[in-house]
Amino acid sequence: MKRFFCFLALTVAAILAGCGKPDFSDAEKKTIASLALNTLPALKPDTTNRFADEPAAAALGSTLFFDVGMSRDGTVSCSTCHKIDRQFQDDLPQAVGVGHTNRRTMPLAGVARDPWFFWDGRRDSLWAQALTPLENPLEQAGNRAAYAHYVKARFGERYERIFGPLPDLSSIPPNASPLGSDAEKTAWNAMSDAQRDAINGVYANIGKAIAAFERSIEPAPTRFDRFALDLATGAEPKGDAVFSREEILGLKLFIGKANCVTCHNGPRFTDNGFHNTGVSPVADLQQDRGRVDAVAQVEADPFNCFGAYRDGEASACGELRFMVKDASELVRAYKTPSLRGAATRPPYMHAGQFSSLDEVVAHYAKAGPSVEGTSEIHPLELSYRERAALVAFLKTLSE
């Protein structure tokens, strides 16, 4: 009798803990394996930035990333919104720099692998992306002539060891930019073509240095990755690699009935695409139509892949060359974010519309219409248990 009760106790404990090998089909195992971080390929060279993998450039980029001097009023740096201890994001519904923006800060882990940058893809390289907040009046609010003077004064020797001689800035006004205030625009237009090109060259190199640093930020393995590796190799799961029954159900739903894996695929859990998922705009924020308005912005950017400040050959510009420019599906379409670490960085969506993963899952289950354009998602019949299981699985993607 004592042996029977011991056996019963162990059986109940196993059920409650979700012990035992999970039951997945061969197709499910293949899909799960494709999501594991160990399948992430090596980072490709960025031929548009010949300094992308130079340690000295990355070191200078790191300095600039954390330097509040890289802003109009000396209070804001890249790290103001991309906090190093918060997955390089800020936990706010919309980012706050010199002013209040209309978008959520995106985390940076694995960002160098993206073909497009920002929620709408308005920049086509990591280094061009790094330049944009520097002159955005709501973010760092500076101007490119001031940044050139600042870099020469503070980091001149370091800059020249990496990029070569700085131009003569003695006749360059302290503040000038084609995107700044009226006074800054006037000063910019009064400069010669050669002067403007020289400043743009320094400005581009600032972006290339910051990008070299950001290339070092990669996602870390999580419980899911340890679980997926054990599943692929047939090893007996141990420790936190053991999934509960609820987490296993959530994973099955994620790659099956709920169809999340259609967009959140690959080892970074993103297809790098843009989708209208019917997320409502936030009241009192400026109109935001997503990808459809970003196409013109990336084409007009002088630092895009076709521009004069790209390193390497134009053969690297395939994404820009074959960019979809005019399609109804671009209206209110936003980039698919990576789900790695998502459970610990609410709120969610491009303007922080949802405060919890439960709200996100409920939104996708309901699949209401978009305020403009056509939402790609369709209603899902998910029970309360299934919704909770999806959330439980998503938590395994965070440490």
Side-chain angles (χ1 to χ4, degrees), residues 295-330:
V295 170
Q297 294 180 49
V298 73
E299 285 188 310
D301 180 25
F303 302 102
N304 72 21
C305 194
F306 290 152
Y309 306 99
R310 175 206 75 228
D311 296 319
E313 302 297 325
S315 57
C317 304
E319 293 286 351
L320 188 60
R321 188 183 306 279
F322 300 109
M323 173 176 60
V324 176
K325 299 179 181 180
D326 185 19
S328 60
E329 60 264 29
L330 302 183

Side-chain angles (χ1 to χ4, degrees), residues 29-114:
K29 289 179 180 179
K30 184 177 180 180
T31 300
I32 293 167
S34 73
L35 300 172
L37 197 58
N38 68 306
T39 65
L40 190 68
L43 186 60
K44 294 180 180 178
D46 180 2
T47 59
T48 73
N49 176 8
R50 62 191 178 94
F51 309 97
D53 296 310
E54 285 197 14
L60 176 59
S62 175
T63 300
L64 298 176
F65 186 93
F66 293 99
D67 185 2
V68 294
M70 296 292 290
S71 64
R72 183 188 69 198
D73 60 5
T75 64
V76 177
S77 69
C78 303
S79 65
T80 299
C81 296
H82 297 286
K83 299 182 184 299
I84 191 171
D85 61 342
R86 295 301 304 141
Q87 299 179 41
F88 288 89
Q89 54 87 51
D90 57 12
D91 296 331
L92 299 175
Q94 300 97 37
V96 178
V98 170
H100 192 123
T101 76
N102 68 332
R103 295 262 179 87
R104 175 87 165 88
T105 299
M106 303 192 86
L108 296 183
V111 68
R113 300 172 183 276
D114 290 353

Side-chain angles (χ1 to χ4, degrees), residues 145-165:
Y147 288 129
H149 284 292
Y150 182 76
V151 166
K152 184 169 186 175
R154 287 288 307 277
F155 312 110
E157 291 185 9
R158 292 177 67 183
Y159 177 99
E160 292 187 333
R161 284 198 297 269
I162 301 163
F163 300 106

Side-chain angles (χ1 to χ4, degrees), residues 171-364:
S171 61
I172 301 296
N175 296 286
S177 168
L179 304 177
S181 65
D182 289 343
E184 289 165 355
K185 290 177 183 176
T186 298
W188 182 261
N189 292 331
M191 292 162 58
S192 68
D193 288 344
Q195 287 176 318
R196 287 193 290 264
D197 180 64
I199 293 303
N200 279 343
V202 174
Y203 192 53
N205 287 338
I206 289 171
K208 290 174 181 178
I210 295 173
F213 163 65
E214 292 179 335
R215 280 171 67 84
S216 68
I217 305 169
E218 289 277 42
T222 69
R223 285 188 59 218
F224 166 75
D225 298 299
R226 293 185 281 278
F227 171 87
L229 184 60
D230 286 343
L231 185 68
T233 60
E236 189 70 32
K238 293 182 177 63
D240 69 355
V242 177
F243 269 24
S244 69
R245 291 183 181 275
E246 185 180 40
E247 290 165 343
I248 291 170
L249 173 60
L251 174 53
K252 281 181 171 286
L253 290 165
F254 187 92
I255 64 176
K257 177 182 175 181
N259 215 25
C260 311
V261 77
T262 299
C263 297
H264 293 285
N265 51 49
R268 291 183 58 226
F269 285 79
T270 174
D271 63 357
N272 294 316
F274 302 91
H275 303 279
N276 182 336
T277 59
V279 178
S280 298
V282 175
D284 301 325
L285 291 183
Q286 67 185 67
Q287 178 169 270
D288 186 347
R289 301 179 71 230
R291 179 61 174 167
V292 70
D293 288 340
V295 170
Q297 294 180 49
V298 73
E299 285 188 310
D301 180 25
F303 302 102
N304 72 21
C305 194
F306 290 152
Y309 306 99
R310 175 206 75 228
D311 296 319
E313 302 297 325
S315 57
C317 304
E319 293 286 351
L320 188 60
R321 188 183 306 279
F322 300 109
M323 173 176 60
V324 176
K325 299 179 181 180
D326 185 19
S328 60
E329 60 264 29
L330 302 183
V331 177
R332 294 196 182 271
Y334 300 91
K335 182 192 289 187
T336 305
S338 170
L339 293 181
R340 287 192 170 273
T344 57
R345 58 169 191 265
Y348 302 100
M349 304 305 181
H350 64 274
Q353 284 92 334
F354 302 130
S355 62
S356 68
L357 287 175
D358 300 273
E359 290 183 15
V360 174
V361 172
H363 167 78
Y364 280 97

